[in-house]
Amino acid sequence: MFDNTSLKLLLVDDEERFRTTLAKRLQGKGFETADVGSGTQALEYIKDNPVDVIILDIKMPGMDGIETLAQVKQITPGIEVILLTGHGTVDTAIEGMRAGAYDYLMKPCEIEDLIDKISRAFEVKKERDTRLKQAEERSRLDKLEKAVRF
């Protein structure tokens, strides 16, 4: 069973009823979930709060999901993003994946399918974070070793 106790999740969707209902269902499954109604709010949220995975609607007024994804990756490249849309096309989802999204789902989707995608995205993030930390430790050790030699 997937351990979601340390995962921080953000839902971004302009459909308030859908967003709040999904947030409650995910919280009921043990996920620490926040939700916002626009891409602009998502960008503000991630500046002040740690997030591991974002569930991002593609079609939103103002800043759409693809633009939001691009800016999320500029601010915090390590966040995994799953695109979720009821209006987009597969081509739009592919465009999002080329821009750095982990994967996409079409609305409506089963909650278990969404949880599976979230858990896979979180595992990818954790593995990358571990490799990055190991590389940073190796770099520090290399610098220390070179300093000791001279």
Side-chain angles (χ1 to χ4, degrees):
M1 180 77 185
F2 172 66
D3 177 20
N4 60 7
T5 54
S6 63
L7 190 158
K8 301 200 179 339
L9 185 64
L10 177 63
L11 296 176
V12 184
D13 197 307
D14 62 313
E15 296 176 47
E16 183 178 352
R17 186 173 175 189
F18 172 80
R19 183 183 73 241
T20 56
T21 300
L22 182 57
K24 286 178 185 172
R25 291 184 70 191
L26 290 168
Q27 289 164 352
K29 299 281 186 181
F31 289 91
E32 182 178 328
T33 306
D35 65 282
V36 295
S38 71
T40 303
Q41 290 173 333
L43 298 177
E44 290 300 317
Y45 185 87
I46 66 170
K47 288 178 184 173
D48 299 327
N49 301 284
V51 173
D52 297 304
V53 178
I54 296 176
I55 308 299
L56 179 61
D57 188 18
I58 292 178
K59 190 170 182 176
M60 295 185 288
M63 183 184 303
D64 69 16
I66 301 298
E67 185 179 347
T68 303
L69 167 66
Q71 292 195 31
V72 164
K73 290 296 183 178
Q74 286 180 347
I75 295 169
T76 312
I79 295 176
E80 292 297 335
V81 177
I82 299 169
L83 299 171
L84 184 63
T85 185
H87 305 285
T89 64
V90 173
D91 289 341
T92 304
I94 290 170
E95 177 187 351
M97 291 177 67
R98 286 189 175 133
Y102 171 76
D103 208 344
Y104 72 95
L105 283 170
M106 304 297 274
K107 291 179 189 174
C109 69
E110 296 294 325
I111 190 78
E112 296 306 325
D113 292 339
L114 181 58
I115 289 171
D116 181 59
K117 293 273 188 205
I118 293 167
S119 64
R120 290 173 189 245
F122 186 52
E123 289 301 319
V124 166
K125 181 184 185 304
K126 284 193 323 187
E127 289 175 16
R128 184 181 51 247
D129 289 350
T130 298
R131 288 194 313 271
L132 182 59
K133 186 176 178 179
Q134 290 170 342
E136 290 170 347
E137 288 173 1
R138 273 195 307 264
S139 175
R140 280 195 296 271
L141 287 174
D142 287 347
K143 288 177 185 173
L144 183 62
E145 188 177 300
K146 287 178 184 176
V148 170
R149 287 184 187 165
F150 295 130

